[in-house]
Amino acid sequence: MKTRTEKAAVRQGSPSNLWVNAMSGVVHFEIPADDEDRARKFYNSIFGWKFQVIPEMEYSLAMTAPMNDQGEPAEPGSINGGIFRRGDMLQAPVVTISVEDIDAALEQIARQGGETVRGRMAVPGSGWNAYFRDSEGNVVGLWQNDTAAPTGLSEE
């Protein structure tokens, strides 16, 4: 029996697209901030978002909707995100797209004229993320679920 990804690759006519989900969805967002505390207060006071601060990463997870027992947004169509310290690499908000294989996705992106901004990095116990620059110069995130992702924060 073929997986959903294998069926999508057959429809697209190319085994080189096996990393692509039938439709890869946006699963996360990130907002840069010069003052993370000020940004958290801003989004909390206006939208009621709750935050889990991760000081060692200069990052705050943003919960934008009630959560279910699996730690996912309970409201259909909702996604959670984060606020991070603005840096040289990331200056603007970022959307993150779910893929089944980050490394294969980054290879495909390079073949299509994009470039890797930061290669895959473990998010302990959750998965992998990476950033790429698309054909229009936008920085976009990638996410690969993997509960066995190592507990270290260094790049692979």
Side-chain angles (χ1 to χ4, degrees), residues 57-125:
M57 293 179 65
E58 296 182 331
Y59 196 88
S60 298
L61 292 172
M63 280 66 74
T64 66
M67 307 293 279
N68 65 21
D69 292 338
Q70 291 77 41
E72 301 166 341
E75 296 177 5
S78 293
I79 61 173
N80 287 322
I83 290 179
F84 63 91
R85 177 80 44 89
R86 187 186 318 273
D88 293 336
M89 180 176 66
L90 298 173
Q91 293 284 318
V94 176
V95 295
T96 300
I97 301 167
S98 178
V99 296
E100 290 190 20
D101 183 333
I102 277 186
D103 295 325
L106 289 171
E107 289 174 15
Q108 180 74 7
I109 287 162
R111 283 195 298 271
Q112 296 297 322
E115 66 179 309
T116 298
V117 173
R118 196 204 66 224
R120 77 178 182 145
M121 184 178 90
V123 177

Side-chain angles (χ1 to χ4, degrees), residues 14-98:
S14 171
S16 67
N17 288 335
L18 283 178
W19 64 269
V20 178
N21 289 321
M23 260 197 172
S24 298
V26 173
V27 295
H28 189 75
F29 67 87
E30 295 175 309
I31 299 171
D34 297 317
D35 182 329
E36 295 163 78
D37 188 50
R38 180 178 63 204
R40 285 189 298 269
K41 288 177 183 173
F42 177 87
Y43 286 98
N44 175 263
S45 68
I46 297 169
F47 302 110
W49 294 359
K50 306 293 183 212
F51 294 92
Q52 177 186 350
V53 179
I54 308 170
E56 65 273 14
M57 293 179 65
E58 296 182 331
Y59 196 88
S60 298
L61 292 172
M63 280 66 74
T64 66
M67 307 293 279
N68 65 21
D69 292 338
Q70 291 77 41
E72 301 166 341
E75 296 177 5
S78 293
I79 61 173
N80 287 322
I83 290 179
F84 63 91
R85 177 80 44 89
R86 187 186 318 273
D88 293 336
M89 180 176 66
L90 298 173
Q91 293 284 318
V94 176
V95 295
T96 300
I97 301 167
S98 178

